[in-house]
Amino acid sequence: MNPEARAFDASFEVLSVEEAVRVTGRYAPLADAVRELIEATILTEVDGGVVDNARAAIEGVTESLRQRTRSAKVSYRVDGRPLPLGNAAVGVCNPIAPPIVVHQEGGGRCWSEFVLGLAYEGPPGLVHGGVSALVLDHMLGEAASEGLSKARFTGTITVKYLRGTPLGPLRSEAWIERHEGVKVFARGTISDAAGVTVEADGVFIEPAWARDGQ
């Protein structure tokens, strides 16, 4: 294994399936609760005393959680696949990540159904364009890497906004269109109940260390 491959591999700590279930079972519900807190913070109109008490309580909870923390440089792998805890798109312990669960169909095709609330708003009532791009970058990457099983990273991505994407229930799909040497070409969409709102094309590259040396 060459040095770059070793460095990439060293960034992952291997967990057993049982340990992964314990970690996600304990900390993912906390992220869900903080996600609810974020939306409540956006919407609240309570008076100053309630706000002051809430802020003090949140600051106290934050300090208690900082008593013991994992290294920010460490990610996890279970059965040879990444377990994304802090990922900006799908991190199960990241409350600012959209609540996306990716389903693999095989053959470089995947999909997800999710709900985007007020924390992801751009224009009133609509998803921020940058959030749509984040979702599609990740979904195309999931497809191109065949479920994160192969080292293939975004080279370029082009996003086309067909119309505003409303907040609420959405579906994203992504698939591999073709391979050209070390390049994988992928496409994907975000849709609401009325049809596609955003589409994207991406080129994903397999790095030299993943091609050359085991």
Side-chain angles (χ1 to χ4, degrees):
M1 183 180 290
N2 65 37
E4 287 177 297
R6 282 198 298 271
F8 181 77
D9 196 59
S11 66
F12 289 93
E13 180 178 318
V14 176
L15 296 181
S16 67
V17 172
E18 293 77 12
E19 181 66 6
V21 169
R22 185 194 70 80
V23 168
T24 57
R26 172 172 292 177
Y27 300 115
L30 174 63
D32 290 337
V34 177
R35 193 175 287 117
E36 292 290 329
L37 174 63
I38 290 170
E39 183 152 315
T41 301
I42 294 169
L43 291 173
T44 189
E45 290 187 336
V46 296
D47 64 34
V50 176
V51 171
D52 291 342
N53 290 338
R55 187 183 70 242
I58 292 166
E59 289 170 350
V61 168
T62 300
E63 282 305 307
S64 71
L65 294 175
R66 284 177 172 159
Q67 291 178 33
R68 181 182 175 188
T69 59
R70 64 182 175 86
S71 170
K73 296 181 180 180
V74 174
S75 297
Y76 299 103
R77 183 177 285 157
V78 181
D79 279 350
R81 291 173 52 83
L83 174 65
L85 299 184
N87 184 283
V90 294
V92 295
C93 294
N94 184 352
I96 66 170
I100 293 174
V101 177
V102 181
H103 303 274
Q104 299 293 332
E105 292 187 350
R109 191 173 193 99
C110 61
W111 62 273
S112 182
E113 292 182 345
F114 49 92
V115 177
L116 292 182
L118 283 171
Y120 309 102
E121 186 178 60
L126 300 176
V127 177
H128 193 291
V131 174
S132 295
L134 169 71
V135 170
L136 284 167
D137 183 35
H138 187 84
M139 291 295 292
L140 268 64
E142 287 263 0
S145 66
E146 299 177 42
L148 305 181
S149 67
K150 301 181 184 298
R152 292 169 180 164
F153 303 111
T154 309
T156 61
I157 185 168
T158 302
V159 181
K160 184 177 181 180
Y161 299 91
L162 306 181
R163 59 184 172 88
T165 301
L167 296 173
L170 299 167
R171 179 182 175 93
S172 182
E173 300 181 26
W175 59 92
I176 292 176
E177 281 209 313
R178 68 186 190 278
H179 298 256
E180 288 184 9
V182 300
K183 296 180 180 180
V184 178
F185 294 78
R187 287 180 56 82
T189 61
I190 296 175
S191 304
D192 65 1
V196 175
T197 63
V198 189
E199 59 188 23
D201 297 273
V203 181
F204 293 78
I205 311 297
E206 188 171 307
W209 57 260
R211 305 190 296 260
D212 298 338
Q214 301 296 325

